[in-house]
Amino acid sequence: MQTLAVIGCTGSIGRSALDVARNLRERFRVEALACGHFSPLLCEQIKEFAPRTVAVDDPVGAEELKKAFPDLEVRAGSEGVASLGDSADVVILSVVGLAGLDAALKAVRAGKRLAIATKEVLVSGGELVFKEAGKTGAEIIPVDSEHSAIFQCLMGNGKESVARLLITASGGPFRGKDKASLENVTPSEALAHPVWKMGPKISVDSATMMNKGLEVIEASRLFSVPADRIDVVIHPQSIVHSLVEFRDGAQLAQLSVPDMRLAIQFALTYPKRLPSPIARLDLSEVGKLEFGKPDRENFPCLELAYVALRKGGIFPAVLNGANETAVARFLNGECGFMDIPRFVEKKLSKTENIVDPNLEDILEADRFGRE
Ligand code: MG
């Protein structure tokens, strides 16, 4: 029996992770849960999975939780959430934003398996997290569908045989739109993703293609492949989750119906494959799969991410911080959709790089990006 901590338990990935844990009860016991706020959903999860420890970022929410469950060990604040990083054999990290960095560092320093969905942590602090993981031999297994696909395609193949990574992208809700009409799209239009049901931040990132840009950086970190050997392929059906091209010209892909539980379960059970309840893919029913090139002209966020990755150092952290601020402002109706890439570009143009940044440098770069 292995123990499991789900950091970000009430979000979309966290709920799917608990569904996976529910199906694998005989193998995994939920030891710890963490989330932002006290909620009826959190109470239900505690009743069902009986974790030993629960952390709530909001201190008032943590007090409410103590009242509701007097016997539970409750931790509060961002330190409380981060403190759960080493609380179980496998730590699923799915909090939004850079808040997960401390928890990720704690997990890898303790040699735990880190099943990581929070792309901002790998984008901004990836080099640091991998450096620390190298010291303990901690495994970092991707939970993002694209990176899980690449991870699966790489199994059994040496690093030297890899020619290119091909990350697929649905193209988001605005695929095919031009710049002029993108200026006027609304937050509610941006939140209506055609395939995946996700939280608001990642839905907007998906609409601007920044999500794909962050995934390119994430892939570079996870698989040690440079920017010029990572390509993005538009694939609206989201059936081919990504591909690897090898030096002999062969391409391997991973396909399935779009269901996050597959990538989550594999991150937990790797290298084993166990039965899962996800629907089976029937290609003869799907009939047609389409592929195309990304529209870099009208979706400049993708190119900005490549620029940040090539520059390295603190650039990805600035990109990520600036993007989080711009997306929040867009969601609040304080700026337009195309102001998101404009703001990010302006921040990148004002960045003075630091090579091989430490944690303080990264947090400072993130703050600078957000201002
Ligand atoms: Mg993804």
Side-chain angles (χ1 to χ4, degrees):
M1 180 72 83
Q2 284 194 297
T3 55
L4 204 62
V6 183
I7 300 181
C9 61
T10 53
S12 148
I13 300 279
R15 293 196 306 271
S16 295
L18 287 173
D19 195 34
V20 170
R22 184 180 290 125
N23 293 322
L24 298 176
R25 264 181 199 287
E26 69 292 351
R27 287 172 184 270
F28 292 97
R29 197 174 66 70
V30 177
E31 178 76 18
L33 294 174
C35 60
H37 306 278
F38 178 77
S39 66
L41 173 61
L42 176 63
C43 294
E44 268 172 49
Q45 292 177 341
I46 293 170
K47 281 180 197 147
E48 180 179 356
F49 293 97
R52 209 183 298 268
T53 315
V54 177
V56 178
D57 190 21
D58 165 33
V60 179
E63 284 306 317
E64 282 179 79
L65 187 62
K66 272 184 208 159
K67 267 181 231 149
F69 297 90
D71 297 331
L72 185 69
E73 189 195 334
V74 176
R75 299 184 190 173
S78 55
E79 305 82 29
V81 172
S83 74
L84 296 184
D86 62 356
S87 61
D89 302 318
V90 181
V91 178
I92 300 176
L93 187 63
S94 59
V95 286
V96 178
L98 195 53
L101 182 56
D102 281 338
L105 286 170
K106 191 148 186 139
V108 296
R109 282 176 183 148
K112 307 297 185 185
R113 173 179 290 191
L114 178 62
I116 189 158
T118 305
K119 48 188 63 132
E120 294 87 348
V121 167
L122 287 179
V123 168
S124 300
E127 283 172 334
L128 191 62
V129 172
F130 275 93
K131 201 158 82 184
E132 293 298 313
K135 294 178 192 164
T136 59
E139 295 172 301
I140 299 174
I141 317 265
V143 165
D144 213 348
S145 59
E146 294 80 359
H147 304 85
S148 176
I150 293 169
F151 184 79
Q152 293 176 56
C153 294
L154 287 172
M155 283 171 72
N157 290 290
K159 240 198 87 184
E160 70 291 344
S161 61
V162 176
R164 269 194 312 158
L165 306 182
L166 297 150
I167 301 181
T168 52
S170 70
F174 302 143
R175 188 168 54 94
K177 277 193 190 286
D178 62 16
K179 258 188 186 142
S181 51
L182 286 171
E183 293 284 358
N184 299 315
V185 298
T186 63
S188 63
E189 289 171 305
L191 293 180
H193 193 276
V195 183
W196 300 99
K197 190 95 204 71
M198 306 175 291
K201 156 68 168 64
I202 187 169
S203 295
V204 175
D205 283 347
S206 196
T208 61
M209 296 281 292
M210 181 59 96
N211 182 53
K212 216 40 65 175
L214 296 176
E215 289 183 355
V216 168
I217 300 176
E218 194 185 355
S220 178
R221 299 281 183 260
L222 279 164
F223 308 113
S224 308
V225 173
D228 58 352
R229 293 203 282 129
I230 305 175
D231 288 333
V232 172
V233 181
I234 298 293
H235 168 46
Q237 291 84 10
S238 298
I239 298 254
V240 176
H241 297 302
S242 277
L243 314 88
V244 176
E245 183 179 298
F246 294 92
R247 60 182 172 188
D248 60 359
Q251 293 188 354
L252 294 189
Q254 185 257 322
L255 289 72
S256 73
V257 297
D259 187 326
M260 280 312 300
R261 291 177 300 175
L262 184 61
I264 295 167
Q265 174 168 318
F266 192 65
L268 299 189
T269 65
Y270 164 82
K272 281 204 182 87
R273 287 189 186 273
L274 297 181
S276 96
I278 76 158
R280 302 295 124 147
L281 173 64
D282 182 347
L283 283 175
S284 62
E285 279 292 321
V286 175
K288 196 164 97 178
L289 297 177
E290 296 162 290
F291 300 92
K293 288 192 196 311
D295 177 354
R296 286 165 191 267
E297 176 93 5
N298 293 314
F299 296 87
C301 283
L302 180 60
E303 200 49 44
L304 290 172
Y306 269 97
V307 168
L309 175 58
R310 285 194 196 98
K311 296 222 182 223
I314 59 167
F315 268 84
V318 173
L319 172 95
N320 178 63
N323 181 59
E324 282 191 29
T325 293
V327 170
R329 297 197 59 190
F330 169 68
L331 285 171
N332 285 336
E334 294 164 29
C335 72
F337 186 74
M338 292 307 279
D339 291 325
I340 298 173
R342 277 185 211 115
F343 181 72
V344 174
E345 186 170 17
K346 201 164 135 196
K347 280 289 172 180
L348 291 183
S349 71
K350 288 184 179 162
T351 299
E352 282 184 44
N353 207 3
I354 299 172
V355 184
D356 202 15
N358 59 28
L359 182 59
E360 243 334 289
D361 297 331
I362 290 163
L363 295 177
E364 182 53 40
D366 180 68
R367 273 193 292 273
F368 168 74
R370 278 164 206 280
E371 276 166 13

